[in-house]
Amino acid sequence: MELTRYSVIEGKNPREIVLLRGRGCAWRRCKFCDYHLDASRDEQANLALNRKALSQVTGVFGRLEAINSGSFAELDESTVREVERVCREKGVRDLHIESHWLFRRTLPALRARFSAQGVRLHVKIGVETFDADYRERVLDKGIDAADPAEIAADFDDCCLLFGLAGQTAESMARDIRTGLAYFDRVCVNIMVPNTTSVKPDQAARDAFIHQVYPFYRDDPRVDILLDNTDFGVGELE
């Protein structure tokens, strides 16, 4: 199935979003994730695909989110230049991107590069949970820091992953509170079935829906994706 690669988010933090394709996730060990399958080493093929997605950007909100099933640093330079061009021509002044912990040292230069063009970067990291033991032992996330303040130092926003075995309403609510204390925004993703061995846990999902979701559903700083395509990109039916 061909992936949908452009959408408009009209609710919280209105923005356009593009799903770009890069050369692949360098970490590629997260036990719950198969997004890294959306990758190619063919720079020209990636550029053609990404240009098609980026051509749909209108700049209606002056805000764009560019994701790529990995880190922004894993996009080809030709695609990064296309992102710059679109920001410049469409009046995008806020660009939201994603980065793995591994690439945190690349972010100051990237921020400076876009800032020179009048674009502010908002960088999101997939933390998944602030329970460091669970995050590394169960999920193998690859973040060698336990202190939320240390993790947040190089990033603006964070993603959390809920609906997993062992999670409770209390633990999930605590993760959101921690995220809001240290980051500008929190994006909650609920685990859905995929090709990995990590499966959604119905009890944890129900606990989130009934005991946590009502408190954050309307919070302007919390995006909640009950399905991984709720932003309108990815493998839509």
Side-chain angles (χ1 to χ4, degrees), residues 92-111:
V92 172
R93 291 293 171 258
D94 289 273
L95 177 63
H96 295 257
I97 65 171
E98 296 182 347
S99 176
H100 190 278
W101 175 255
L102 289 174
F103 293 105
R104 65 194 182 280
R105 302 301 181 219
T106 71
L107 297 177
L110 193 61
R111 291 183 193 275

Side-chain angles (χ1 to χ4, degrees), residues 38 44 52 71 109-110 130-131 164 178 201 227 230 234:
D38 181 36
Q44 291 307 307
K52 183 178 179 181
S71 299
L110 193 61
F130 291 100
D131 180 337
L164 299 171
T178 302
D201 182 81
D227 189 277
D230 281 351

